[in-house]
Amino acid sequence: MNKGYIILSGGGNIEMSFNLDEKYFSLLKNNTKILYIPIALNRTKIGFEACYDWFSTVISNHSGEKDIDFTMLFENDEIPDFETYDSIYIGGGNTYKLLDYIYRENVGKKIIDYIKRGGIFYGGSAGAIVLGKDIRTVEEENDNDYSCFNGLNLLGGQSVICHYEETFDEKIFKSVQKINSQIIALPENSGIIIGGNIVEMAGKAFIFGENNKKQILTSKFVSNLI
Amino acid sequence: MENIESKNQESIKCDRDFILKNLKLVADNESESKKFLKLEADLLVDNTNAERLEKTSIDSPETLFRYFESAKIVKPDKICRPKGDTTFFTSAGVQHIETILREKGNFKKEQFAIAQPVIRSQFIDKVKEGTSTSFINFSVESIDTTPDEFIALCNKFIKLILNQGVNTRDLKFVAKDSSVKWGDKKFSNVFLKVYFNNIEIGECIYIYDYPITENEKVSIADIGFGVERLNWAIGKDKYYLPEYKNFYVNKIDKDKDKITSIIDCVRSMVLIVGDGIKPSNHDHGYRIRQFSKRFVFRNQRMGMNVAELIHLSYENWEKWGYKFSVSEKDIIEIIKLENDRNFNGLFLSKLRKIEKIDIYADINQNTTKFLHQVSFSLPKELVAKILETIK
C-alpha cells in the first residue's frame, strides 16, 4: 500500500488546473523542495526557460507565505536521489517520449518506491498517463516508433487519458477494448488526489468500461485505486 | 514583408543538406559520436588565411561589433521582459525581435548585432566552469533574410573562431532540421551547432517562418554565442569568469566549479535586482530568492565576500553596455538583506535537521536581529554549534 500521494491532473493551462493545484500545494509544507521533470517536452533553450517560468508561476500562485523551491531535471542529467525531494512533479508533453525515458533511465522503480515511502507525486497530462496500465490511450502521440506502452500501473489496473472532451468517447471505447483496461478520462479542469486512504476529486472525471461511461464518484472509486 | 507561402515556392530550401553543401561540411568519421560534421580540409586553409592577419579579440563588445560591421549595433534589452513576452527574463539576443514587434508592430529587412546579458535559469543547479545562468549572448540577427545571407553569416562566425588560432581539426558541427515552440509561437528552423573539443560554443539558426501575425511570417537568421564560454573553451582564459580571478586564486578550496557556482548566483542576482526587482515569492522576484538560497547554501564555509562580488558583477555587465536602473549601493543592500533572510532560513532548517528542534523566529530580518531573537529560545552554545556548520 502506498503511504504517499498521487495527484493526477487532466492538463491544461495554469487557470484550468488551479483548483487541483491548490489542493496539491496544500499538501506541501514550508521549505519544500520539488523535483520538476519536464522531459515529455521538446524544447529549445528559450523554450526550457519558458518552462522554468511556467513552473515558477505555478508555485507563485499557490505558495502563499511558504518557501517552496524546485529543481528541473533534464534528459541527460544524472538522476538524483528522489528521497531528497518533498515532491516530484512530472509535466505534460509526449507521453511515449516520457515513458521511453522512464524505462531507459530506470526511473519507474524509483517513482514507485518514492510513492510507497510517502512521497507526493504530481503527474500532469503525460505525467498522469504514464502512471496507468497502458499509454495507448494516446496512441497518436507515438511519432517515433516507440515500442514501449506499458505504464507504471499504479492505478489499480486502469489507464488514463487527459484533456478529455466528449468527442473523445468513441475513441476511448475502442481503446478500452484494445488495451483491455478501464480508462480514467480527465478533462483539463479536473484531477484526482489519491492518498491517505482517501480519493479526492477536483472537478468531474469519468471512467470508461467496455460498454459504459460513468462519472467517477469518490466513495465508489476508493477501493479501486488505493 | 512577404507572404511565406509564395516565398517558399520561389526560394531555396535552407535545410540541413543546403547547409552541408554550402559550408562544405562532411561527416567526421573519426569522432566517437557519429553525429559530428567537420569542415572539408581544403576549405579550412582558405578560410583561415583570409582573416588571420588581424586578430579579433572576442572579449570586448567594441571588437565584436567591428568584426560584424555590416550589422547595426543595438542596445541590449532589459533583463526583465514585460508580461506577454516568451520568457520572464531575456534569455537570448534573438529575443530582441520580440522587442521590435512589441514596439513597432512589424519588421523591416535589417541586420543587427547585440551584446545581450541573458539569464538561463534552467542551469541554476548545474553551474560549473563553462556553464552559468547568466552570460553575454553576442548575437547577430538578420531579419527577412535569404539562405545565402545565412550561409555568409555562418562563414563569418566560423572564421571568427578560426581567427582565434583554433586548430581546425578540433572544430566540429551538428546540423539538424527541427520544429520549435516559443510560448504560443510555433515555427520551423534548421540549426548548426558549433563545437570546439566537444564543447558547444555557438549556434547558427535559420528560422523559415517566424510568425508575425496569423498570416504573415518572416525568415530570420540567428547567429549567437556565449562570450564567456567561447573564451574559456578555446583556452583564452584559464577561468570561466576571469574577472573574478582573485576569488579562484585566494581560496584554499580551489574547486573551480564550486567557486563559479557561487559567483554565478551573484551575477544573476545583480542583473535582476539592477532592473528594479525586489525579492519575493512571485514572478521575477521569486528568481532572486532562488539564486539567493543557492548563494547562501553554496557559500557555507567558503565566506566569499558578497559586496565585492556584486561590485565586480556590476562593473562587468556595464562593460558590455548594460544600463542598470538601480545603483550599485542599493543592489548591495537588497541582495544582502535577502541573503540574510535565506541564511536565517538555513539556520532553522539545520537546527531542525541536526538537533530535531523546531522554534519560531522571523526569518525576514537581518541576521543580527534574527540571532538576537533566536537567543531567547536557544542556549548560546547551541546557536554557536549551528552557526559553525554554516559559516
Side-chain angles (χ1 to χ4, degrees):
Chain A
M1 184 173 148
N2 297 330
K3 288 183 186 167
Y5 285 86
I6 294 173
I7 294 98
L8 304 173
S9 165
N13 59 26
I14 288 177
E15 289 78 28
M16 297 289 256
S17 62
F18 189 90
N19 289 338
L20 179 72
D21 292 348
E22 191 71 2
K23 288 175 193 280
Y24 163 60
F25 280 92
S26 72
L27 296 172
L28 306 179
K29 296 176 191 159
N30 191 18
N31 291 314
T32 284
K33 194 156 186 189
I34 303 171
L35 180 65
Y36 170 44
I37 308 180
I39 279 163
L41 291 171
N42 278 317
R43 289 283 189 274
T44 58
K45 282 164 190 161
I46 293 177
F48 274 119
E49 187 64 20
C51 208
Y52 197 98
D53 294 343
W54 176 82
F55 200 64
S56 296
T57 306
V58 171
I59 290 178
S60 295
N61 282 348
H62 301 280
S63 60
E65 293 303 306
K66 285 182 196 169
D67 259 20
I68 296 178
D69 200 354
F70 73 96
T71 291
M72 254 166 103
L73 183 71
F74 293 104
E75 209 160 344
N76 297 320
D77 291 349
E78 194 180 323
I79 313 289
D81 178 3
F82 283 6
E83 301 306 320
T84 58
Y85 293 91
D86 304 289
S87 178
I88 293 173
Y89 187 115
I90 300 192
N94 185 296
T95 313
Y96 281 83
K97 180 175 181 258
L98 175 62
L99 191 66
D100 178 64
Y101 169 82
I102 286 173
Y103 280 108
R104 196 165 17 93
E105 299 294 334
N106 203 19
V107 171
K109 188 175 179 315
K110 288 187 174 187
I111 293 173
I112 294 167
D113 288 347
Y114 178 77
I115 297 168
K116 278 186 179 165
R117 288 197 200 112
I120 300 170
F121 180 93
Y122 186 112
S125 188
I129 297 170
V130 294
L131 296 196
K133 183 189 165 207
D134 196 313
I135 69 163
R136 283 178 292 173
T137 53
V138 287
E139 211 163 20
E140 67 283 359
E141 288 180 19
N142 190 356
D143 58 358
N144 201 19
D145 289 330
Y146 292 108
S147 55
C148 188
F149 47 78
N150 293 319
L152 298 181
N153 204 7
L154 288 171
L155 305 172
Q158 297 168 107
S159 302
V160 180
I161 188 164
C162 295
H163 311 282
Y164 168 73
E165 293 170 12
E166 271 189 18
T167 53
F168 295 2
D169 284 7
E170 197 183 329
K171 179 200 155 193
I172 296 174
F173 281 124
K174 280 182 187 165
S175 296
V176 169
Q177 291 198 330
K178 182 172 182 177
I179 66 179
N180 194 25
S181 148
Q182 288 191 317
I183 295 174
I184 300 166
L186 299 170
E188 288 192 343
N189 60 354
S190 86
I192 305 177
I193 298 174
I194 306 157
N197 291 323
I198 59 149
V199 173
E200 195 180 343
M201 306 296 301
K204 282 183 183 175
F206 302 89
I207 182 101
F208 283 74
E210 265 191 47
N211 301 307
N212 54 50
K213 164 191 168 185
K214 289 177 188 167
Q215 187 179 334
I216 294 175
L217 298 171
T218 306
S219 56
K220 289 183 184 173
F221 200 54
V222 176
S223 57
N224 282 342
L225 290 176
I226 296 176
Chain B
M1 205 60 43
E2 295 175 67
N3 181 298
I4 194 73
E5 284 175 17
S6 60
K7 188 175 177 178
N8 273 348
Q9 285 167 8
E10 299 162 12
S11 60
I12 310 156
K13 182 138 176 83
C14 182
D15 57 9
R16 183 179 184 273
D17 291 342
F18 180 82
I19 288 182
L20 265 57
K21 186 182 162 200
N22 285 280
L23 288 176
K24 298 196 172 12
L25 296 174
V26 292
D28 178 30
N29 296 322
E30 288 165 22
S31 67
E32 282 177 32
S33 165
K34 296 292 176 205
K35 67 177 182 177
F36 284 120
L37 305 161
K38 64 178 182 181
L39 288 162
E40 270 181 19
D42 292 348
L43 181 83
L44 300 179
V45 178
D46 294 345
N47 276 348
T48 48
N49 282 345
E51 292 189 34
R52 250 196 188 165
L53 296 173
E54 192 184 329
K55 193 165 177 178
T56 301
S57 164
I58 49 174
D59 57 6
S60 92
E62 292 79 18
T63 50
L64 282 169
F65 285 133
R66 206 177 308 132
Y67 181 77
F68 290 100
E69 61 189 355
S70 63
K72 182 180 90 180
I73 300 169
V74 298
K75 286 179 188 166
D77 281 9
K78 300 298 273 181
I79 201 72
C80 296
R81 303 195 74 77
K83 221 175 174 135
D85 271 19
T86 306
T87 53
F88 282 2
F89 301 100
T90 304
S91 56
V94 68
Q95 282 182 280
H96 185 69
I97 62 173
E98 281 189 316
T99 308
I100 297 174
L101 262 185
R102 194 188 332 109
E103 289 172 358
K104 297 179 183 166
N106 213 330
F107 291 130
K108 61 175 190 216
K109 186 174 173 69
E110 66 172 327
Q111 200 176 92
F112 64 84
I114 185 166
Q116 179 66 56
V118 297
I119 288 195
R120 300 253 174 105
S121 312
Q122 57 201 280
F123 301 123
I124 195 166
D125 294 311
K126 299 164 184 73
V127 177
K128 57 182 182 181
E129 284 285 271
T131 304
S132 57
T133 61
S134 51
F135 55 90
I136 294 292
N137 183 228
F138 191 89
S139 305
V140 180
E141 309 299 328
S142 186
I143 298 174
D144 195 10
T145 193
T146 65
D148 287 338
E149 286 166 338
F150 172 64
I151 293 295
L153 277 174
C154 292
N155 261 321
K156 185 101 179 149
F157 177 47
I158 293 167
K159 283 175 186 173
L160 175 70
I161 301 165
L162 295 175
N163 179 271
Q164 307 303 309
V166 163
N167 186 331
T168 50
R169 285 192 198 90
D170 296 325
L171 213 53
K172 308 282 183 235
F173 304 85
V174 170
K176 200 177 170 188
D177 298 300
S178 76
S179 299
V180 176
K181 191 168 181 267
W182 287 358
D184 55 1
K185 285 190 165 66
K186 288 179 184 171
F187 49 89
S188 308
N189 68 21
V190 57
F191 64 77
L192 178 78
K193 290 186 188 233
V194 186
Y195 294 79
F196 176 73
N197 282 340
N198 293 328
I199 298 168
E200 188 187 328
I201 52 171
E203 60 184 359
C204 308
I205 301 170
Y206 186 81
I207 300 170
Y208 309 107
D209 52 356
Y210 183 83
I212 306 169
T213 62
E214 209 171 302
N215 301 316
E216 208 179 3
K217 296 173 182 184
V218 69
S219 58
I220 295 169
D222 166 32
I223 313 297
F225 60 92
V227 168
E228 296 85 343
R229 190 176 169 94
L230 182 52
N231 276 308
W232 169 80
I234 62 174
K236 189 184 163 294
D237 293 317
K238 187 179 171 191
Y239 303 106
Y240 177 63
L241 302 170
E243 294 81 5
Y244 306 79
K245 190 180 162 190
N246 287 343
F247 283 92
Y248 292 98
V249 175
N250 297 336
K251 279 283 148 208
I252 298 165
D253 180 350
K254 290 206 171 78
D255 178 347
K256 285 199 279 184
D257 289 340
K258 188 173 180 182
I259 294 169
T260 302
S261 77
I262 297 169
I263 297 169
D264 177 70
C265 295
V266 177
R267 279 164 56 92
S268 296
M269 278 194 283
V270 166
L271 273 178
I272 307 172
V273 175
D275 209 5
I277 305 294
K278 297 266 173 65
S280 73
N281 274 357
H282 298 281
D283 303 331
H284 299 85
Y286 176 63
R287 209 63 53 89
I288 303 170
R289 187 146 286 173
Q290 287 189 296
F291 280 118
S292 170
K293 279 182 184 171
R294 281 152 182 82
F295 172 79
V296 169
F297 188 81
R298 292 169 187 167
N299 200 31
Q300 290 177 86
R301 311 181 78 83
M302 293 292 281
M304 287 168 63
N305 185 304
V306 72
E308 208 177 324
L309 287 172
I310 292 171
H311 174 68
L312 288 170
S313 304
Y314 196 92
E315 265 189 347
N316 185 56
W317 296 127
E318 276 197 326
K319 172 189 140 183
W320 283 90
Y322 191 69
K323 298 271 179 260
F324 289 102
S325 51
V326 175
S327 71
E328 185 183 331
K329 184 173 162 277
D330 287 347
I331 293 176
I332 291 175
E333 200 175 301
I334 292 165
I335 292 179
K336 273 190 166 177
L337 192 59
E338 180 62 13
N339 286 349
D340 274 7
R341 176 196 185 273
N342 295 315
F343 181 93
N344 303 343
L346 185 62
F347 179 95
L348 292 181
S349 128
K350 292 246 178 186
L351 183 67
R352 209 173 299 124
K353 199 173 169 188
I354 299 168
E355 301 293 328
K356 314 274 181 244
I357 296 173
D358 225 343
I359 59 163
Y360 172 77
D362 181 9
I363 60 169
N364 296 302
Q365 54 186 333
N366 72 43
T367 297
T368 310
K369 286 181 184 167
F370 170 81
L371 290 176
H372 179 68
Q373 188 185 4
V374 161
S375 70
F376 293 112
S377 311
L378 298 174
K380 255 187 200 171
E381 299 73 28
L382 188 53
V383 173
K385 185 183 169 188
I386 300 295
L387 284 176
E388 182 64 23
T389 67
I390 308 176
K391 281 191 168 171

